[in-house]
Amino acid sequence: MNRKLVLFFSCPDKKGIVAAVSKVLFENGANIVESNQHSAKSVLNPHFYMRIVFELDSISAEKNLADIKIKLNELKHIFAIEYELNDTSVKKNAAVFVSKEDHCLYELLWQTSSGDIFLNISCIFSNHKVLSSVADFYKVPFIYIPSNFTASNNNNCDTDNADDGHRLKQEQFILNEIAKYDIDFIILAKYMRILSPGFINLFNKKIINIHHSFLPSFPGAKPYLQAYEKGVKIIGATAHFVNEKLDDGPIIEQDVIRINHEDDAEELKKKGKIIERMVLARAVKFFVEDRIIQYGNKTIVFA
Amino acid sequence: MNRKLVLFFSCPDKKGIVAAVSKVLFENGANIVESNQHSAKSVLNPHFYMRIVFELDSISAEKNLADIKIKLNELKHIFAIEYELNDTSVKKNAAVFVSKEDHCLYELLWQTSSGDIFLNISCIFSNHKVLSSVADFYKVPFIYIPSNFTASNNNNCDTDNADDGHRLKQEQFILNEIAKYDIDFIILAKYMRILSPGFINLFNKKIINIHHSFLPSFPGAKPYLQAYEKGVKIIGATAHFVNEKLDDGPIIEQDVIRINHEDDAEELKKKGKIIERMVLARAVKFFVEDRIIQYGNKTIVFA
Amino acid sequence: MNRKLVLFFSCPDKKGIVAAVSKVLFENGANIVESNQHSAKSVLNPHFYMRIVFELDSISAEKNLADIKIKLNELKHIFAIEYELNDTSVKKNAAVFVSKEDHCLYELLWQTSSGDIFLNISCIFSNHKVLSSVADFYKVPFIYIPSNFTASNNNNCDTDNADDGHRLKQEQFILNEIAKYDIDFIILAKYMRILSPGFINLFNKKIINIHHSFLPSFPGAKPYLQAYEKGVKIIGATAHFVNEKLDDGPIIEQDVIRINHEDDAEELKKKGKIIERMVLARAVKFFVEDRIIQYGNKTIVFA
Amino acid sequence: MNRKLVLFFSCPDKKGIVAAVSKVLFENGANIVESNQHSAKSVLNPHFYMRIVFELDSISAEKNLADIKIKLNELKHIFAIEYELNDTSVKKNAAVFVSKEDHCLYELLWQTSSGDIFLNISCIFSNHKVLSSVADFYKVPFIYIPSNFTASNNNNCDTDNADDGHRLKQEQFILNEIAKYDIDFIILAKYMRILSPGFINLFNKKIINIHHSFLPSFPGAKPYLQAYEKGVKIIGATAHFVNEKLDDGPIIEQDVIRINHEDDAEELKKKGKIIERMVLARAVKFFVEDRIIQYGNKTIVFA
């Protein structure tokens, strides 16, 4: 029986890094079963990124792992490496944010429950109540976050036009609730509201969004209508990390589907839904398998 | 032995059009072998577009065709139809404009010489001389259009920075030369210069360009560099009709190719070339087979 | 307000058919909004197939429709046409057969409940009980069909190795149950048992199956293992009508996904599931929208 | 200035291989810029495969390389590794075999002349003369190999039905001619004749063929006709190494294209040509970049 771990590290590019790290692993009984590397070319600051999957014999794994960490910490001083070390048998936890549309939520619930995505959906937040029954079916806590949020919270009229004061109260409510779950990241599965910069910063590089266009084409509202009016022959969807600029964060995954002149904006929406949920599911799968590195405004995906 | 014709017509949407036109065809011995239609939905001005391929017995084809035209002209008054009637055995003629890159030109020359695209490339214009030998091999006239064009045309220093005066002289030279060939349309097969509005108007709706991005993303210069810097996971190419706005005309065809973080801008360019030539070739094939209708800033492609 | 109908007809290929049918429609107030045709080339027996979608004014629709049927019946004598006329506002009813795997069933339930597929799933039959809760959630009757079927039905030991006697009893049980629902067709959504020729004949051309390979490659058992052992670089799924030969009926739809040497048979199964459910859903959508014609051992799909 | 090398090695799977090899490289000044590995799972004989691209400083490259080879040879005794070490600046040489169809040859000539495939096409063999002019254009020696080969070689009647005696004489002629070129591998670019087992063995694992179907579907003659008659909705092409069984060798690369009921066998052939040449070009590119490992009847492609 083996334990399987993912080592993720990066450092300024320099000779000898691979040799040094693989020596550490070998001397502590690790068997490398997967490895990927990338050198971000740059005249001034070439940077090196690597992902290694290795196995340790269960009996001595604790001891070996402790030693590996000590040695990696020593390498910090030599190569200025930063690393992350995750056990592949430990599920990550996610909070999923939704509005009214169900397709992305369904896809995530199905792929996590079937085990195709190794993830625990800890809780579902929504500014609408329509999807609570599916949350119940999958036995996931469903937290309703009324849009029109007042101090007393007595007045839950559900509007998407809440002003900034409402938004901040609403986000404070989310923060209070989300604190009850030990989450690793947030998935915006067609959550049709914009999060405040403050909220985004609290979950820096930890929020994945699905946008229903092939970014950078058609950011913002009604991308299918934009695509229809432009007359494109192919539409797409984009999963990306959220940063402070709308629909502009590092792209994780994209896919497209061919359309034709018969498809109006409504039909594009229908066809696009299939791509949206597939792209989001793939991005989430990459994330939980520690395959994504963010650098600058881009990602490396060791797929 | 049959003659095969393509009837292309459009008119304000109204009941009875299909019945009226198919009656005309039937009464003149035509056998409909393909038909496609599209209703452009609009509350105020719904418009109807149809493409019909029909066969006529060779013996009586001349007579029948004359009668069909008379009847279709009568329908002009009833339904306000506009039509085009083309014999599929007659090759269209194109002028191809290139600069230094050869891949799109090669693709067009191959596919026309093999008969996969039923087209005659009448002449090749280029602001560089490098592709003249391939033109010679395929026995297509090659006309060199120096960029730095002076009245005397003695000074052919080849620069892409010609000012407007030069451009107009250059385009006048092209017009003089192109007049020697009876061309139906122009293909910009990686012609890296911008045509003047005046020139574009002379060939209104008759110039097909290939742009090396998935429009509307990355119009203008260096789209692969733009794509690289944005960190997209898929790149594309777009064939479109040219209008007065750069890279903004009606889209005919698009396609994409998956890339990853290893690909720098130079590698994107290599990978993109394959998509560029395929997309352009398909668009040209649609055009010569009378499958494209332009309306507004969009196209209907009866593929 | 309009009623929308689909007219599906076929006949020996002959001039004048389109004209005759469109005349009938026009004279009865129909507006043709979509049309597709296909001529199956054959020296001896060229056959013509057409699909027309038309709209009738609701007020006079009943009257017009009755007249259209009378006229079409007259055309039967002239052109030997066979036709089908369906109202697009009437949902078809399907029985879905499953075993233990849930992904195809989920996809169908989602897409029907969201309205993306205009279909009523009337009942679910399964030789296993595991999927009864999802049937309950969607409020669809779930009928358990034990494999080891005895006269008394007391002995429900669930085995897939039931002999022929069991199979016939089991199928008789299914027939008794299915008769309670007014179904139009059957969907085998990963139903891992082989139906008897007798059963198939009862639902001739009305059973759609999903096979987890790119047919004709890898028919029969364990296609993913077969694909792994062959070392293909792309795997696929195939939706087809069921005939008496295993995995050999007319193909409706196929799709593929790229794999690589890292994927073992287990991983192929995971990746393939996504293609399986998409392909099946598309085939079912084509069917309920009356887009499929079967001829010989092939299909025409007016997609 | 750096020299870039590809190290390709395999050995029985065992802990410490990566560490040992990366130590050798590091100690000799190598900078690893790409690495890929694969463990072929097997209870009895797990095998390990790795591809490493590394750079050496030009000044000391000769010395370092010699040392690396000495050390790798030592590892042969410890890990039983087998390795290959290629300089990426050295072009491989290929002989291309063709018959009458030009599209695959054109694609290879264009992609090699543009530098997209880093390969030298040393010579072209053909049992027909039609493609000699394109060989001339690209200045590649063209060797005509008449099918009906007699001892005197006076009787060049060009038939594809040569008997075995002819074939062996023909192959002996090829061997005599090919010996004049220092070729690394053979590309069958639509060479419509079957090579003898003897010939294949002489170039064991060094002959790449393109077959115009999605293998294992439709091996042998007329795959497009087979595909048409089966009624598949997608067709494909397969590049594979040639072994003694027809169309059964290790698959390198495949791709597909969607078709529909309108496409007859002739149209499938046209559409398929584009896929054929793309798939073959990709397979050749993988080969010349040392990305392919053959094991059993399969390939690992480090794409």
Side-chain angles (χ1 to χ4, degrees), chain A residues 28-53:
Chain A
N28 287 285
N31 190 30
I32 296 176
V33 292
E34 274 181 64
S35 73
N36 289 94
Q37 61 172 63
H38 178 67
S39 304
K41 287 153 199 162
S42 156
V43 179
L44 293 177
N45 297 304
H47 215 77
F48 182 76
Y49 301 89
M50 192 158 194
R51 177 184 187 264
I52 295 174
V53 184

CSV table of all heavy atoms in Angstrom, one decimal, chain A residues 28-53:
chain,number,residue,atom,x,y,z
A,28,ASN,N,14.6,9.6,0.2
A,28,ASN,CA,13.6,9.3,1.2
A,28,ASN,C,12.6,8.3,0.7
A,28,ASN,O,11.4,8.3,1.1
A,28,ASN,CB,12.9,10.6,1.6
A,28,ASN,CG,13.9,11.4,2.5
A,28,ASN,OD1,14.1,11.1,3.7
A,28,ASN,ND2,14.5,12.5,1.9
A,29,GLY,N,13.0,7.5,-0.2
A,29,GLY,CA,12.2,6.3,-0.6
A,29,GLY,C,11.0,6.6,-1.5
A,29,GLY,O,10.2,5.8,-1.7
A,30,ALA,N,11.0,7.8,-2.1
A,30,ALA,CA,9.9,8.2,-3.0
A,30,ALA,C,10.1,7.6,-4.4
A,30,ALA,O,11.2,7.5,-4.9
A,30,ALA,CB,9.8,9.7,-3.1
A,31,ASN,N,9.0,7.1,-5.0
A,31,ASN,CA,9.0,6.7,-6.4
A,31,ASN,C,8.2,7.7,-7.2
A,31,ASN,O,7.0,7.9,-7.0
A,31,ASN,CB,8.4,5.3,-6.5
A,31,ASN,CG,8.6,4.7,-7.9
A,31,ASN,OD1,9.6,5.0,-8.6
A,31,ASN,ND2,7.6,3.9,-8.3
A,32,ILE,N,8.9,8.4,-8.1
A,32,ILE,CA,8.3,9.4,-8.9
A,32,ILE,C,7.4,8.8,-10.0
A,32,ILE,O,7.9,8.0,-10.8
A,32,ILE,CB,9.3,10.3,-9.6
A,32,ILE,CG1,10.1,11.1,-8.5
A,32,ILE,CG2,8.7,11.3,-10.6
A,32,ILE,CD1,11.2,12.0,-9.0
A,33,VAL,N,6.1,9.1,-10.0
A,33,VAL,CA,5.2,8.4,-11.0
A,33,VAL,C,4.7,9.4,-12.1
A,33,VAL,O,4.3,8.9,-13.1
A,33,VAL,CB,4.0,7.7,-10.3
A,33,VAL,CG1,4.5,6.5,-9.5
A,33,VAL,CG2,3.2,8.6,-9.5
A,34,GLU,N,4.8,10.6,-11.9
A,34,GLU,CA,4.5,11.6,-12.9
A,34,GLU,C,5.4,12.8,-12.7
A,34,GLU,O,5.7,13.2,-11.5
A,34,GLU,CB,3.1,12.1,-12.7
A,34,GLU,CG,2.0,11.3,-13.4
A,34,GLU,CD,0.6,12.0,-13.1
A,34,GLU,OE1,0.4,13.1,-13.6
A,34,GLU,OE2,-0.2,11.4,-12.4
A,35,SER,N,5.8,13.5,-13.7
A,35,SER,CA,6.5,14.8,-13.5
A,35,SER,C,6.3,15.7,-14.7
A,35,SER,O,6.2,15.2,-15.9
A,35,SER,CB,8.0,14.6,-13.3
A,35,SER,OG,8.6,14.2,-14.5
A,36,ASN,N,6.1,16.9,-14.5
A,36,ASN,CA,5.9,17.9,-15.5
A,36,ASN,C,6.7,19.2,-15.1
A,36,ASN,O,6.7,19.5,-13.9
A,36,ASN,CB,4.4,18.3,-15.7
A,36,ASN,CG,3.6,17.2,-16.3
A,36,ASN,OD1,3.0,16.4,-15.6
A,36,ASN,ND2,3.6,17.1,-17.6
A,37,GLN,N,7.2,19.9,-16.1
A,37,GLN,CA,7.9,21.1,-15.7
A,37,GLN,C,7.7,22.2,-16.8
A,37,GLN,O,7.3,21.9,-17.9
A,37,GLN,CB,9.4,20.8,-15.6
A,37,GLN,CG,10.1,20.3,-16.9
A,37,GLN,CD,11.6,20.2,-16.7
A,37,GLN,OE1,12.1,19.5,-15.9
A,37,GLN,NE2,12.3,21.0,-17.5
A,38,HIS,N,7.9,23.4,-16.4
A,38,HIS,CA,7.8,24.5,-17.3
A,38,HIS,C,8.7,25.6,-17.0
A,38,HIS,O,8.8,26.0,-15.8
A,38,HIS,CB,6.3,25.0,-17.4
A,38,HIS,CG,6.2,26.2,-18.3
A,38,HIS,ND1,6.3,26.1,-19.7
A,38,HIS,CD2,6.0,27.5,-18.0
A,38,HIS,CE1,6.1,27.3,-20.2
A,38,HIS,NE2,5.9,28.2,-19.3
A,39,SER,N,9.4,26.1,-18.0
A,39,SER,CA,10.3,27.2,-17.8
A,39,SER,C,9.7,28.4,-18.4
A,39,SER,O,9.5,28.5,-19.6
A,39,SER,CB,11.7,27.0,-18.4
A,39,SER,OG,12.2,25.8,-17.9
A,40,ALA,N,9.2,29.4,-17.6
A,40,ALA,CA,8.7,30.6,-18.2
A,40,ALA,C,9.8,31.5,-18.7
A,40,ALA,O,10.6,32.0,-17.9
A,40,ALA,CB,7.9,31.4,-17.1
A,41,LYS,N,9.9,31.5,-20.0
A,41,LYS,CA,11.1,32.3,-20.6
A,41,LYS,C,11.0,33.7,-20.3
A,41,LYS,O,9.9,34.3,-20.4
A,41,LYS,CB,11.0,32.0,-22.1
A,41,LYS,CG,11.5,30.6,-22.5
A,41,LYS,CD,10.9,30.2,-23.8
A,41,LYS,CE,10.9,28.7,-24.0
A,41,LYS,NZ,9.9,28.2,-25.0
A,42,SER,N,12.1,34.3,-20.0
A,42,SER,CA,12.1,35.7,-19.7
A,42,SER,C,13.6,36.0,-19.6
A,42,SER,O,14.4,35.3,-19.0
A,42,SER,CB,11.4,36.0,-18.4
A,42,SER,OG,11.9,37.2,-17.8
A,43,VAL,N,14.0,37.1,-20.2
A,43,VAL,CA,15.4,37.4,-20.2
A,43,VAL,C,15.9,37.8,-18.8
A,43,VAL,O,16.9,37.3,-18.3
A,43,VAL,CB,15.8,38.6,-21.2
A,43,VAL,CG1,17.2,39.0,-21.1
A,43,VAL,CG2,15.3,38.2,-22.6
A,44,LEU,N,15.0,38.6,-18.1
A,44,LEU,CA,15.4,39.1,-16.8
A,44,LEU,C,15.1,38.0,-15.7
A,44,LEU,O,16.0,37.8,-14.8
A,44,LEU,CB,14.7,40.4,-16.5
A,44,LEU,CG,15.2,41.6,-17.4
A,44,LEU,CD1,14.4,42.8,-17.0
A,44,LEU,CD2,16.7,41.8,-17.1
A,45,ASN,N,13.9,37.5,-15.7
A,45,ASN,CA,13.5,36.7,-14.6
A,45,ASN,C,13.0,35.3,-15.0
A,45,ASN,O,11.8,35.0,-14.8
A,45,ASN,CB,12.4,37.4,-13.8
A,45,ASN,CG,12.9,38.7,-13.2
A,45,ASN,OD1,13.9,38.6,-12.5
A,45,ASN,ND2,12.3,39.8,-13.5
A,46,PRO,N,13.8,34.5,-15.6
A,46,PRO,CA,13.3,33.2,-16.0
A,46,PRO,C,12.8,32.4,-14.8
A,46,PRO,O,13.6,32.4,-13.8
A,46,PRO,CB,14.4,32.5,-16.7
A,46,PRO,CG,15.6,33.2,-16.2
A,46,PRO,CD,15.2,34.6,-15.9
A,47,HIS,N,11.7,31.8,-14.8
A,47,HIS,CA,11.2,31.1,-13.6
A,47,HIS,C,10.8,29.7,-14.0
A,47,HIS,O,10.4,29.4,-15.1
A,47,HIS,CB,9.9,31.9,-13.1
A,47,HIS,CG,9.8,31.8,-11.6
A,47,HIS,ND1,10.6,32.6,-10.8
A,47,HIS,CD2,9.1,31.1,-10.8
A,47,HIS,CE1,10.3,32.4,-9.5
A,47,HIS,NE2,9.4,31.4,-9.5
A,48,PHE,N,11.0,28.8,-13.0
A,48,PHE,CA,10.9,27.4,-13.2
A,48,PHE,C,9.7,26.9,-12.4
A,48,PHE,O,9.6,27.2,-11.2
A,48,PHE,CB,12.2,26.7,-12.8
A,48,PHE,CG,12.2,25.2,-13.1
A,48,PHE,CD1,12.3,24.7,-14.3
A,48,PHE,CD2,12.0,24.3,-12.0
A,48,PHE,CE1,12.3,23.3,-14.6
A,48,PHE,CE2,12.0,23.0,-12.2
A,48,PHE,CZ,12.1,22.5,-13.5
A,49,TYR,N,8.9,26.0,-13.0
A,49,TYR,CA,7.7,25.5,-12.3
A,49,TYR,C,7.7,24.0,-12.5
A,49,TYR,O,7.9,23.5,-13.6
A,49,TYR,CB,6.4,26.0,-12.9
A,49,TYR,CG,6.3,27.5,-12.8
A,49,TYR,CD1,6.8,28.3,-13.8
A,49,TYR,CD2,5.8,28.1,-11.7
A,49,TYR,CE1,6.8,29.7,-13.8
A,49,TYR,CE2,5.7,29.5,-11.6
A,49,TYR,CZ,6.2,30.3,-12.6
A,49,TYR,OH,6.1,31.7,-12.6
A,50,MET,N,7.4,23.2,-11.4
A,50,MET,CA,7.4,21.8,-11.6
A,50,MET,C,6.3,21.1,-10.7
A,50,MET,O,6.0,21.6,-9.6
A,50,MET,CB,8.8,21.2,-11.2
A,50,MET,CG,8.9,19.7,-11.6
A,50,MET,SD,10.7,19.2,-11.8
A,50,MET,CE,10.5,17.7,-12.7
A,51,ARG,N,5.8,20.1,-11.2
A,51,ARG,CA,4.8,19.3,-10.5
A,51,ARG,C,5.3,17.8,-10.6
A,51,ARG,O,5.6,17.3,-11.6
A,51,ARG,CB,3.4,19.3,-11.2
A,51,ARG,CG,2.4,18.5,-10.6
A,51,ARG,CD,1.1,18.6,-11.4
A,51,ARG,NE,0.0,17.9,-10.8
A,51,ARG,CZ,-0.4,16.6,-11.1
A,51,ARG,NH1,0.3,15.9,-12.0
A,51,ARG,NH2,-1.4,16.1,-10.4
A,52,ILE,N,5.5,17.2,-9.4
A,52,ILE,CA,5.9,15.8,-9.3
A,52,ILE,C,4.9,15.1,-8.5
A,52,ILE,O,4.5,15.5,-7.4
A,52,ILE,CB,7.3,15.8,-8.6
A,52,ILE,CG1,8.4,16.4,-9.5
A,52,ILE,CG2,7.7,14.3,-8.4
A,52,ILE,CD1,9.7,16.5,-8.9
A,53,VAL,N,4.5,13.9,-9.0
A,53,VAL,CA,3.6,13.0,-8.2
A,53,VAL,C,4.5,11.9,-7.8
A,53,VAL,O,5.2,11.3,-8.7
A,53,VAL,CB,2.4,12.5,-9.0
A,53,VAL,CG1,1.5,11.6,-8.2
A,53,VAL,CG2,1.7,13.7,-9.6
